[in-house]
Amino acid sequence: MRPFHGRRILLGVTGGIASYKTAWLARLLSQAGAEVDTVMTKSAREFIGAVTFEALTGRPVHTELVAEGSALDHIRLAQAAELVVVAPATADFLARAAGGRSDDLLAACLLATKAPVLLVPAMNDMMWAHQQTIANVAHLRSIGYTVLDPDTGPLASPQEGAGAGRMPEPDTIFAQVGRMLEPKGALNGKRVVVTAGPTRESLDPVRFLSNYSSGKMGVAIAAAAWRRGAEVTLIAGPLSITPPLGMRALDVESTSDMANAVRSELSTADVLVMAAAPADFKPATVAVAKIKKTTRPEALAIEETPDILKSTRDARRPGSVIVGFALETDDVMAHAAEKLRAKELDLIVVNDAREPGAGFGGDTNRVTIMAPNAEPVALPLMSKAEVADAILDRVEALLGGR
Ligand code: CTP
């Protein structure tokens, strides 16, 4: 099913050049199944036509506080909305919203709604940095509105600077909408640390030992936890995919770097999900200069890297939920059960690397979830996003019971 099927979103558009990107946002929301009611200010209509939004959302666009035949559009629209998104929100609109004005349809809708409000500023970098705007944003946040920070980078007009002021991309806004529409469970507001990807162990300045992990499973878990309202830190080795939006990301290289990062995050974490595939071995010595063909060693001496889950046990917070993975090729359940015990985990997600559709690199996974003193639960072949949700449902059940 489409993720926002039947959800009512009021999309406000104010007068900024970034409104051309809002058209794409309207399309993303409609394609996800949302019923999007667009409200445009007068100046928005100087930048982009109402008919564009009408065509993209398949619904009429509203512009007037007192429209022909109805003086109560703002009440009706505001009450039907499950979420109000204003993108772009100009400096002028932020000022009017902060002042509680109701002098046009969009401002009146903000006052008449009980729905959560997401404001997506876009303006010249000097205007964003001005004390007036800073004070308005602080006030809007203090009354519970979510105000995204604008991006840094070239603004629409070539004459303008490159400080913060650019409207975040439609994908970023769409992800934030997903987070705000998600029903909130036990992960809401919790600190979740997720590790993802492989690590690398240097052999010389140009070579390393690693593995085929892509990071997709860990990234899917981080994205799903963020959508459920968690404050997520992603500790990532070199990933083959772009990390998700909206969360704090710590990039690491070696297994001991990852162990250090996990240790420092654990003291404040409610949940740790070790989805990474840290390199288990490292060359016993790292050559300072590139190893030439003429100086090739006969064999490589290798050593074990630290076991991150085991070596950081003492840093865990009492009551935190710790989830590990097990990648096995034989005697799968017995090995996984042993890891569950030895690493003192609350859950272990078991992958049989030889199953079709499971393991590294792909977009699907077939896993079994094990917990101490419980029957293992074998899940069918699913997308990694669905596996992430299945894992987090169990994490929420554990958190709820603590
Ligand atoms: N893990 C870890 N530190 C390592 C290696 C793995 O914390 N140096 C974590 C993984 O992130 C995973 C779990 O331990 O959550 C099991 O990883 P797996 O590779 O299946 O097992 P290993 O402990 O490495 O044991 P083996 O390779 O002998 O099966």
Side-chain angles (χ1 to χ4, degrees):
M1 196 168 76
R2 295 186 296 169
F4 301 164
H5 179 76
R7 308 298 297 268
R8 293 286 300 260
I9 297 175
L10 194 158
L11 177 63
V13 189
T14 72
I17 186 63
S19 55
Y20 76 93
K21 294 202 239 177
T22 310
W24 187 251
L25 173 66
R27 180 180 156 82
L28 291 175
L29 295 172
S30 298
Q31 278 184 332
E35 291 177 17
V36 181
D37 288 312
T38 311
V39 174
M40 299 179 78
T41 61
K42 186 163 176 289
S43 68
R45 281 173 284 142
E46 295 182 17
F47 287 90
I48 189 164
V51 71
T52 301
F53 289 99
E54 245 159 45
L56 289 169
T57 63
R59 299 169 72 83
V61 168
H62 306 268
T63 55
E64 304 302 329
L65 189 53
V66 183
E68 212 176 307
S70 169
L72 294 172
D73 262 0
H74 59 297
I75 305 293
R76 193 175 49 75
L77 288 167
Q79 290 183 354
E82 292 174 72
L83 179 71
V84 178
V85 185
V86 182
T90 57
D92 178 66
F93 185 76
L94 294 179
R96 286 196 294 125
R101 302 290 297 267
S102 62
D103 45 3
D104 70 4
L105 178 60
L106 184 56
C109 283
L110 277 194
L111 286 185
T113 192
K114 286 204 178 79
V117 174
L118 171 62
L119 302 178
V120 191
M123 65 196 70
N124 167 277
D125 53 345
M126 302 292 284
M127 293 169 82
W128 175 251
H130 197 283
Q131 286 302 322
Q132 290 282 9
T133 308
I134 292 171
N136 288 335
V137 169
H139 176 64
L140 290 164
R141 286 180 172 150
S142 77
I143 60 170
Y145 291 4
T146 301
V147 185
L148 292 189
D149 283 326
D151 284 347
T152 302
L155 297 167
S157 145
Q159 289 82 43
E160 289 181 305
R166 202 161 77 148
M167 187 166 93
E169 296 305 314
D171 284 345
T172 308
I173 306 170
F174 182 78
Q176 183 68 42
V177 167
R179 178 170 157 102
M180 292 179 76
L181 283 178
E182 184 78 11
K184 295 297 179 280
L187 277 169
N188 190 28
K190 291 288 192 297
R191 276 216 62 213
V192 174
V193 177
V194 182
T195 66
T199 58
R200 289 177 177 173
E201 298 296 338
S202 292
L203 174 60
D204 72 10
V206 298
R207 302 184 180 93
F208 55 83
L209 292 184
S210 189
N211 57 62
Y212 289 116
S213 169
S214 62
K216 284 183 182 172
M217 193 62 246
V219 161
I221 292 168
W226 181 79
R227 201 189 64 237
R228 290 177 186 227
E231 201 191 302
V232 179
T233 301
L234 178 70
I235 301 177
L239 302 179
S240 321
I241 53 165
T242 328
L245 306 159
M247 67 195 59
R248 188 163 151 250
L250 303 176
D251 293 329
V252 296
E253 184 84 11
S254 68
T255 298
S256 67
D257 291 345
M258 186 175 274
N260 291 337
V262 167
R263 170 171 287 283
S264 67
E265 294 298 314
L266 262 180
S267 61
T268 52
D270 299 294
V271 178
L272 168 68
V273 183
M274 273 293 300
D280 287 321
F281 311 113
K282 63 177 183 182
T285 53
V286 183
V288 281
K290 183 184 170 195
I291 301 169
K292 305 293 285 177
K293 278 185 229 152
T294 47
T295 56
R296 173 179 65 83
E298 277 306 311
L300 276 183
I302 55 173
E303 288 176 354
E304 262 185 44
T305 57
D307 185 299
I308 300 173
L309 279 169
K310 276 190 190 161
S311 66
T312 57
R313 271 178 301 196
D314 62 303
R316 296 177 187 173
R317 264 178 62 174
S320 56
V321 173
I322 311 292
V323 182
F325 276 68
L327 183 65
E328 309 290 349
T329 56
D330 57 290
D331 236 346
V332 174
M333 298 313 280
H335 282 138
E338 174 51 22
K339 284 178 190 169
L340 180 69
R341 194 196 55 74
K343 299 185 190 227
E344 292 175 38
L345 306 175
D346 295 292
L347 295 173
I348 193 156
V349 183
V350 191
N351 278 298
D352 182 340
R354 291 196 289 208
E355 281 245 17
F360 288 162
D363 292 319
T364 58
N365 211 351
R366 186 196 297 273
V367 303
T368 298
I369 301 182
M370 291 172 81
N373 310 319
E375 278 297 304
V377 180
L379 300 177
L381 184 70
M382 301 197 279
S383 70
K384 287 188 172 171
E386 288 167 326
V387 173
D389 276 322
I391 297 167
L392 294 182
D393 285 346
R394 285 164 179 78
V395 169
E396 289 204 319
L398 288 169
L399 280 173
R402 289 190 177 172

